[in-house]
Amino acid sequence: MSIQVKGTILTLVAGIAWGISGVSGQYLMAAGVPILWLTSIRLFVSGICLLGIAFCVSRQQLKILFRDKKALGQLLFFALFGLLLNQFSYLQAIHHTNAGTATVLQYVCPVIVLVYACLRQRRWPSKGEVTSIFLAIAGTVLIATHGNLTSLAVTPIGLFWGLFSALTYTLYIVLPVGLIKKYGSLPTIGVGMLMGGILLGLLDRSWTYHPSLTTDNLIALFGIVMIGTVFAYTFFLQGVSIVGEVKGSLLAAIEPVSSVFFGILLLGEVFYPVDFLGMLSILLAVLLISLKDLFNQRKLSQKKLPSHEGGQESRNRKG
């Protein structure tokens, strides 16, 4: 097996695991597990696990991070408005719709990032970017209305939390960029999750909850925390380190497909043809953005080639 194939498989497995996470959360909330408790436990346990891995593989970066008070302040902001808010809003979206719909709506995020980038750079979007924005809006409308613009097929609160989770997912992506570049992904996300879990646990007094932890609930809890967070994140990092961030994000788009599949298989969710059309429209928008980034990345790398290497590559193509 080549190293590129290995990276592709790791990234795809991570995306599938994230899909299992959403379905596990839906099952637990349907069983009466409180959203705030579930959010705090997920963040707290995942944070401890990821910090343990970071201690083994990025110990020096972790030590430096804990000594940087300014970075810890930035990390606290990220923990609250990136991680905690995103996890909570995503689970709320699942609670008011279902795992598949909530995950697809959250994938509007790349389009929000695109709009943000255009505004920040003070430029108009390209034709391809306009197409992506149109597809994302059309897909959201189809999911929300089933094609009947006079009524909503999902509850207004479900649509709100779905789109709000996309907005918070944007913050989750944008806020830690500088910290990740300086200290690495595992230390940044691990500490951020632990901070978020502790803060929410204290505010909500999570220790006072006594949810029913039957065998099925424990399996679902393992699915959302260990498989859908710790396992998925570490596999994704390994895969992205091989295939690159742009291709990794492209492959990770299997997550909503996985979430819909497991929702139908395990929870008996029912989706209509117009739902799949809306989901396809949003995924196409994400794929267009990712493919554009991949093309730009390759174009940039080719420009960086020394002239003699470029000539050699040209000669090789000519046979």
Side-chain angles (χ1 to χ4, degrees), residues 72-134:
L72 289 174
Q74 293 173 335
L75 201 49
L76 180 61
F77 188 81
F78 164 61
L80 287 172
F81 296 100
L83 282 165
L84 196 160
L85 203 56
N86 177 244
Q87 295 292 333
F88 175 72
S89 59
Y90 176 56
L91 287 174
Q92 283 281 11
I94 291 174
H95 178 64
H96 291 288
T97 57
N98 56 64
T101 300
T103 305
V104 171
L105 288 174
Q106 185 174 248
Y107 262 69
V108 174
C109 163
V111 179
I112 298 175
V113 173
L114 169 63
V115 173
Y116 167 77
C118 289
L119 290 173
R120 188 176 181 182
Q121 297 165 13
R122 296 180 181 179
R123 66 174 179 86
W124 290 101
S126 66
K127 290 180 181 179
E129 290 169 341
V130 169
T131 303
S132 297
I133 294 169
F134 172 78

Side-chain angles (χ1 to χ4, degrees), residues 21-44:
S21 167
V23 172
S24 298
Q26 182 178 339
Y27 179 86
L28 287 167
M29 288 182 287
V33 176
I35 294 176
L36 286 172
W37 182 88
L38 185 57
T39 304
S40 63
I41 288 297
R42 181 183 190 183
L43 287 171
F44 181 76

Side-chain angles (χ1 to χ4, degrees), residues 56 58 75 82 194 238 275:
C56 295
S58 309
L75 201 49
L194 187 58
Q238 284 183 296
D275 292 321

Side-chain angles (χ1 to χ4, degrees), residues 11-24 90 99-101 103-104 107 227-228 251-266 271 279 283:
T11 310
L12 287 173
V13 169
I16 293 169
W18 275 322
I20 292 173
S21 167
V23 172
S24 298
Y90 176 56
T101 300
T103 305
V104 171
Y107 262 69
I227 295 177
L251 293 169
I254 196 174
E255 179 190 354
V257 179
S258 166
S259 193
V260 170
F261 173 78
F262 285 114
I264 294 171
L265 182 67
L266 301 176
F271 293 94
M279 292 174 184
L283 286 177

Side-chain angles (χ1 to χ4, degrees), residues 44 61 130 148 169 197-198 241 264 295:
F44 181 76
Q61 288 175 307
V130 169
N148 182 4
Y169 191 39
I198 291 173
S241 69
I264 294 171
F295 174 77

